[in-house]
């Protein structure tokens, strides 16, 4: 094959694949760590405790790995994981642990679960799948058992236009940490070729057909 032909093929390949790009991934994590005994029975919340978690919106816009900033409202439809997780131990009652959220005006009861007594545990609000996940763990963090329940009074839309939100609990146990995790992917954008690019591409194809017939 002549050098000119090779050059044209290389140019065409570049033009055909230059429009593709990688998906843009993003994530956000914030954690409130505080060892405190929770002591309240539903419908009451332990008013001596509240975990305040930052959120990627407004003044708290966080970064993509590329360094660009993002806000929750702009990427909500691309979120693949949205979890709020309570890490605790030493539940000493047969009552449910109650999960409360506050978006600025009032406390909402969103979930409840009766965990095993005196064992370490994780309780996770999964906002994407609209479920509560209970994980009984070892002291080293290994998961021994997983069970699921429902959540109510909350959806992903409730977190729009927030810079932060609060989490509270009821029942009788020891709180270790509360965290929020977001993960997502924005699909690649394929730009529309400019007219000149289309003309060059067609011209190249015509030349290739002409060479192929020789």
């Amino acid at each position: 094959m002549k050098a000119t032909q090779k050059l044209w093929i290389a140019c065409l390949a570049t033009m055909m694949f230059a429009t593709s790009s990688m998906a843009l991934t993003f994530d956000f994590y914030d954690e409130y760590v505080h060892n405190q005994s929770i002591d309240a029975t539903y419908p009451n919340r332990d008013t001596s405790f509240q975990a305040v978690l930052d959120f990627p919106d407004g003044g708290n816009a966080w970064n993509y790995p590329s360094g660009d900033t993002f806000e929750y409202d702009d990427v909500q439809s691309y979120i693949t994981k949205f979890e709020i997780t309570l890490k605790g131990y030493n539940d000493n009652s047969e009552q449910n642990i109650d999960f409360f959220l506050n978006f600025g005006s009032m406390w909402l009861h969103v979930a409840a679960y009766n965990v095993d007594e005196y064992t370490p545990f994780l309780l996770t609000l999964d906002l994407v799948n609209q479920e509560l996940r209970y994980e009984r763990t070892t002291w080293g963090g290994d998961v021994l058992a997983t069970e699921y329940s429902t959540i109510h009074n909350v959806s992903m839309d409730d977190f729009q236009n927030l810079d932060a939100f609060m989490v509270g609990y009821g029942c009788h146990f020891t709180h270790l940490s509360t965290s929020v995790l977001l993960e997502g992917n924005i699909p690649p954008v394929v730009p529309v070729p400019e007219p000149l690019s289309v003309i060059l591409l067609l011209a190249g194809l015509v030349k290739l057909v002409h060479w192929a017939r020789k």
Side-chain angles (χ1 to χ4, degrees), residues 111-207:
Y113 200 86
N114 187 12
V115 306
D116 292 347
E117 294 182 31
Y118 302 107
T119 61
F121 64 87
L122 299 173
L123 270 181
T124 299
L125 290 178
D126 182 340
L127 277 301
V128 171
N129 297 306
Q130 285 289 291
E131 62 187 14
L132 178 71
R133 184 173 69 249
Y134 162 60
E135 295 169 292
R136 179 165 56 87
T137 70
T138 65
W139 290 104
D142 296 325
V143 177
L144 300 175
T146 303
E147 299 173 5
Y148 297 89
S149 184
T150 58
I151 64 177
H152 52 269
N153 294 332
V154 65
S155 71
M156 291 175 62
D157 290 342
D158 294 316
F159 293 82
Q160 293 181 358
N161 301 314
L162 293 181
D163 292 335
F165 65 96
M166 293 179 287
V167 186
Y169 305 104
C171 199
H172 312 279
F173 69 97
T174 301
H175 171 275
L176 290 176
S177 68
T178 297
S179 61
V180 57
L181 171 66
L182 296 175
E183 293 180 356
N185 296 281
I186 297 179
V189 177
V190 180
V192 178
E194 298 179 1
L196 179 59
S197 299
V198 175
I199 293 172
L200 291 174
L201 180 61
L202 292 175
L205 291 173
V206 170
K207 283 185 176 293

Side-chain angles (χ1 to χ4, degrees), residues 2-18:
K2 294 181 180 180
T4 305
Q5 290 174 280
K6 291 181 179 179
L7 178 61
W8 267 102
I9 292 174
C11 290
L12 287 173
T14 300
M15 292 172 63
M16 292 174 66
F17 292 103

Side-chain angles (χ1 to χ4, degrees), residues 42-61:
Y42 184 78
N44 299 309
R45 174 186 60 86
D46 188 336
T47 56
S48 70
F49 174 91
Q50 62 182 30
V52 180
L53 295 172
D54 284 337
F55 206 64
D57 200 284
N60 291 324

Side-chain angles (χ1 to χ4, degrees), residues 101-106 162 164-166:
L101 294 178
N102 189 320
F103 303 114
S105 59
M106 61 182 295
L162 293 181
F165 65 96
M166 293 179 287

